[in-house]
Amino acid sequence: MPFFQTPPALGNQYDSDALLREYLERTLPIELRERFEPEYRELGELSGGSLYELSLADLDNDPVHTRWDPWGNRIDHVEVTEVWKRGQVIAAEHGLVAAGYDRELGPHARVHQHAMNYLVQASLDVYNCPLAMTDGAAATLFASGNEALLERALPKLLSRDPEVMWTSGQWMTERTGGSDVGRTETVARRDGDRWRLYGTKWFTSATTADMALTLARPEGNPPGGRGLAMFYVELRDEGGRLQGLRINRLKDKLGTRKVPTAELTLDGVEAVPVTGLHDGVRGITPMLNVTRTWNAVGATLGMRRAIALARDYADKREAFGARLIEKPLHVDTLAEMAAESQGAFLLTFRVVELLGRIESGEASVEEERVSRLLTPIAKLTTGKQAVAIASETLEAFGGAGYVHDTGLPKLLMDAQVLPIWEGTTNVLSLDTLRALKQDGIWQAFTGEVERALGGVADSRLQVAVERARAAVRHAGAWLERNLAERELVEAGARRFAMTLGRAVELSLLSEHAQWCLEQGKGERAAAAARRFARSRIDLIEDEDLLDESGLLVG
């Protein structure tokens, strides 16, 4: 008898997502929810239906780079996959970037935008990558106040017409490294009243984009980050040919293979300074806030997709005389995964909420301070969770999870980039420490935790409440006690930042569970909060010591 298994299937990804629907009910005014629900349902149907099937059919197709045309002309053409071509149209027509700038929606614009992305992107083969950079470019140009560039680029970046909409690249990584942008070697040279850039960008994730923001050092500027300037570049001339750029090769990556990541040589490409000729690193801060938020959304939607597939498979797969969903240990594993995913969702969308409130001018000072801390924390926490959930999902499928053409290994391969993009876990852990040097940040953070926990009254949630509060108290005491020990604090930065992230997730799970109980939504959310509370929330070890080599012992 041949060996066969029934593959997992997906239904409408909006109708089947109770957490998303509950969250939107809590967060969006009823008139907006009623207005947008048909669009959410449409995207949910696409994501669980035709787009998912297309992504499976397109599994083995990667972008193709053609350097030369048949007549010897250097063209550096990149042909993207069918899913990406579909993604370009969906992104424009549904405003997957533009919705975030819809002033009519006020503080709710970002929630609406990322609810759509959360629903559809899991079937668009990481098309959220160029959209994140496009959104980041729009935010950066807004913050720059450069009227000429705003007039030139913004209508295209925010267009809802697929024939008009631009995407943007973000070119920071060079051969000297990624996060240490102060070592950037790209040079900017004057050419009359213009600037031209010369150098190599080792890792660029949007080579099919229409424009890019990048860092370069104007000739004569000092070394380090302060000597860098941020430049605006348009990649192609009116005929669609690259101008002053060469694509050296597409990267042969572990995952995100549908993203045409390339090495670029900048050979005199014309560029425009965005915010002057110094302090370019400071100028990219608005971009990082936006792209790190997209990274967290990407982690969350990846977890949601992985669990949806594992849950459907558990309903179908029989082993040892029963379906997997009837096996207590397997159910326990799925419940653990779901609790992690739901905590990540609530943390991510709290950051999304705060971004929308800040951009609409409705955020309080405390909310602005919370956003400064929670944005890197959400990115690093959810990135790690996404990898763990993807790995657990493959295991839930047994051997099928390790077979390429099931499409399942792609879940893990694509997730692995999430702790790397937009700053690694260690880089963002140190950024968390830097944020806490600003006055009022810690007080705003503890106030945020208490805001979430203050209304949690159900006795079934009290253990979760106490564990969240205890982790925050311990983290604060550890930091205060060791502030003078720079090496000790730096060595513990990751555990400290992850503790804050998991404590906030637990507080938000508890808050959501209380609301669900009050609204008659059942005990599913309360069960998730209690289960999450039993996991490791506080990762700080008081006994951590440094030996003479700087390695942790003890």
Side-chain angles (χ1 to χ4, degrees), residues 79 81 103 113 159 203 235 307 334 388 435 443 460 493 528 544:
E79 184 72 15
T81 64
R103 296 185 185 279
Q113 173 197 21
S159 175
F203 198 99
L235 278 67
I307 293 170
L334 292 176
Q443 291 78 10
R460 291 164 289 183
D544 283 350

Side-chain angles (χ1 to χ4, degrees), residues 36 46 56 118 170 191 226 379 437 460 482 516:
F36 290 130
L46 280 172
L56 289 177
Y118 171 81
Q170 172 185 316
D191 178 17
R226 296 193 63 185
K379 190 276 179 188
K437 292 179 181 179
R460 291 164 289 183
N482 296 296
C516 286

Side-chain angles (χ1 to χ4, degrees), residues 185-398:
E185 295 178 337
T186 298
V187 174
R189 295 175 184 158
R190 281 194 181 275
D191 178 17
D193 61 350
R194 296 177 294 185
W195 287 90
R196 296 192 181 276
L197 307 185
Y198 299 84
T200 298
K201 296 298 181 180
W202 188 79
F203 198 99
T204 63
S205 290
T207 48
T208 55
D210 303 278
M211 60 156 284
L213 296 180
T214 188
L215 294 174
R217 194 178 311 280
E219 283 188 317
N221 273 20
R226 296 193 63 185
L228 294 173
M230 178 169 55
F231 287 89
Y232 165 94
V233 173
E234 291 185 14
L235 278 67
R236 292 169 177 80
D237 60 21
E238 292 183 358
R241 295 179 296 271
L242 288 176
Q243 46 186 359
L245 295 167
R246 293 195 307 276
I247 298 176
N248 299 331
R249 61 170 175 166
L250 296 185
K251 294 292 194 183
D252 187 9
K253 298 170 294 177
L254 170 68
T256 65
R257 296 186 64 87
K258 310 298 183 176
V259 182
T261 305
E263 293 179 22
L264 291 182
T265 292
L266 283 58
D267 189 18
V269 61
E270 188 173 339
V272 179
V274 178
T275 55
L277 298 177
H278 295 84
D279 292 327
V281 176
R282 181 179 300 173
I284 67 174
T285 299
M287 179 189 298
L288 293 176
N289 288 338
V290 169
T291 55
R292 287 171 177 174
T293 301
W294 275 80
N295 200 99
V297 173
T300 304
L301 67 89
M303 286 184 261
R304 157 70 179 152
R305 170 55 52 88
I307 293 170
L309 291 170
R311 178 64 177 78
D312 184 78
Y313 185 69
D315 272 334
K316 298 172 176 176
R317 172 66 170 150
E318 290 189 7
F320 304 105
R323 293 178 303 147
L324 292 180
I325 201 64
E326 297 169 341
K327 302 288 185 180
L329 180 55
H330 195 77
V331 171
D332 186 77
T333 302
L334 292 176
E336 193 83 28
M337 295 162 62
E340 290 286 328
S341 174
Q342 290 170 33
F345 174 94
L346 292 169
L347 172 57
T348 293
F349 273 84
R350 179 57 179 158
V351 169
V352 169
E353 285 178 56
L354 291 169
L355 179 62
R357 292 185 60 77
I358 291 168
E359 290 177 336
S360 65
E362 296 193 22
S364 65
V365 172
E366 288 73 22
E367 286 176 323
E368 291 180 359
R369 289 169 173 167
V370 168
S371 177
R372 169 66 185 92
L373 189 64
L374 279 193
T375 300
I377 285 175
K379 190 276 179 188
L380 71 89
T381 305
T382 60
K384 285 297 188 184
Q385 288 174 302
V387 175
I389 293 300
S391 177
E392 197 70 65
T393 297
L394 267 60
E395 189 174 344
F397 282 87

